[in-house]
């Protein structure tokens, strides 16, 4: 597949590129500047652009099979996530390329809570994280309201961290996945597997899904 990735230098983005190369996909990595361009495998087509710029989204998605976006705004500029979702949806509406968006856990429901959202559970989202959680909620709402783009939205568990590539994890839909020890977690490496599985299978067209151990 021809895959464009925004957020290519990030924790998730770097693992997605590694997993995609392993599977033989053609990668276009969109960076905001070329400071880290030489960190990429020579097989990766490195280009410059911004995920919150509609023209860049059109330019780098045209002719591709899918766009994967794993961007995260700096603290204090959380609303950039909403602008980015708008630009991605608007650009991809024009090129009619699929969107696989990495979002947040905020819009998942808390297990056994009668529908309370993660964003409203102070045990899961501490005050310092509330702005990014609210931005993720708005980002998810924008996808749900969109009827023109073939989007899929992957909500991470509560915690993603560096770890092993095991290929063993559970998938879910709208509820936070928590293991028997009460942990909601996955490695970046397995999260990348889940993203590439979705890119290849298109199982969750116009749906949100989630993954965890
Ligand atoms: N529990 C949760 O809900 C949870 C936990 C962890 C992560 N996440 C989500 O997972 C995603 C990825 O997280 P991460 O840890 O990989 O983030 P990260 O390591 O901070 O990487 C963020 C990436 O986004 C890029 N970026 C930011 N704004 C951009 C823009 N406007 N255009 C293009 N690229 C842009 C950065 O590029 P530069 O190199 O140019 O800065 C960087 O490559 C985020 O959406 C985050 O909210 C959710």
């Amino acid at each position: 597949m021809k895959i464009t990735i925004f957020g290519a230098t990030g924790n998730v983005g770097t693992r997605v590129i590694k997993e995609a190369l392993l599977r033989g996909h053609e990668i276009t990595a969109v960076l905001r500047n070329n400071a880290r361009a030489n960190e990429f495998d020579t097989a990766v087509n490195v280009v410059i652009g911004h995920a919150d710029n509609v023209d860049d989204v059109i330019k780098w998605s045209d002719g591709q099979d899918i766009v994967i976006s794993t961007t995260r705004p700096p603290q204090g500029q959380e609303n950039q996530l909403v602008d980015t979702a708008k630009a991605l949806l608007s650009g991809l509406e024009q090129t009619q390329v699929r969107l696989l968006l990495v979002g947040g856990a905020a819009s998942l429901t808390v297990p056994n809570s009668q529908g309370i959202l993660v964003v409203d559970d102070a045990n899961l989202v501490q005050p310092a994280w509330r702005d990014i959680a609210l931005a993720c909620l708005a980002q998810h709402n924008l996808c749900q309201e969109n009827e023109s783009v073939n989007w899929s939205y992957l909500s991470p568990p509560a915690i993603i961290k560096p770890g092993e590539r095991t290929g063993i994890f559970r998938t879910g839909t709208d509820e936070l996945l928590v293991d028997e020890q009460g942990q909601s977690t996955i490695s970046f490496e397995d999260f990348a597997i889940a993203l590439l599985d979705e890119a290849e299978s298109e199982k969750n067209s116009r749906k949100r899904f989630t993954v965890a151990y």
Side-chain angles (χ1 to χ4, degrees):
M1 296 177 80
K2 292 182 184 171
I3 301 175
T4 290
I5 173 150
F6 288 96
T9 58
N11 292 311
V12 176
T14 49
R15 269 75 168 200
V16 168
I17 291 175
K18 199 170 170 191
E19 181 67 27
L21 288 175
L22 208 62
R23 298 184 186 207
H25 296 299
E26 279 179 50
I27 307 298
T28 295
V30 189
L31 312 193
R32 290 194 285 183
N33 57 63
N34 62 11
R36 295 179 59 186
N38 61 0
E39 292 176 17
F40 290 84
D41 189 290
T42 50
V44 176
N45 177 29
V46 178
V47 300
I48 304 297
H50 289 66
D52 50 353
N53 179 307
V54 181
D55 292 339
D56 287 344
V57 174
I58 292 171
K59 184 173 179 184
W60 298 122
S61 66
D62 198 22
Q64 299 291 91
D65 295 307
I66 191 165
V67 167
I68 300 180
S69 180
T70 68
T71 71
R72 180 207 283 265
Q75 213 169 356
Q77 295 173 43
E78 286 79 3
N79 233 41
Q80 257 187 30
L81 212 57
V82 179
D83 296 336
T84 298
K86 284 180 185 165
L88 286 166
L89 289 166
S90 168
L92 297 179
E93 194 170 321
Q94 295 192 48
T95 55
Q96 282 299 300
V97 172
R98 280 171 67 203
L99 171 64
L100 180 45
L101 186 58
V102 172
S107 54
L108 294 167
T109 54
V110 180
N112 308 314
S113 71
Q114 295 182 327
I116 291 178
L117 298 183
V118 166
V119 65
D120 294 323
D121 184 326
N123 293 318
L124 290 164
V125 177
Q126 290 158 12
W129 297 106
R130 193 161 162 82
D131 285 348
I132 188 75
L134 286 171
C136 285
L137 189 65
Q139 175 200 47
H140 180 239
N141 288 341
L142 281 169
C143 287
Q144 281 193 310
E145 288 159 9
N146 185 288
E147 293 177 355
S148 318
V149 174
N150 187 0
W151 58 268
S152 303
Y153 185 101
L154 177 53
S155 280
I159 295 168
I160 329 181
K161 55 188 178 188
E164 283 181 44
R165 179 185 185 277
T166 70
I168 301 166
F169 48 81
R170 296 176 295 150
T171 58
T173 54
D174 293 319
E175 186 176 283
L176 185 76
L177 292 174
V178 176
D179 68 15
E180 284 169 0
Q181 284 75 44
Q183 302 296 309
S184 173
T185 182
I186 197 165
S187 70
F188 287 121
E189 290 73 10
D190 280 336
F191 194 69
I193 291 182
L195 275 163
L196 266 298
D197 285 352
E198 177 59 29
E200 291 169 356
S201 69
E202 205 175 338
K203 265 191 192 164
N204 292 289
S205 180
R206 295 207 168 87
K207 282 186 197 147
R208 179 258 297 287
F209 66 111
T210 187
V211 290
Y213 294 132

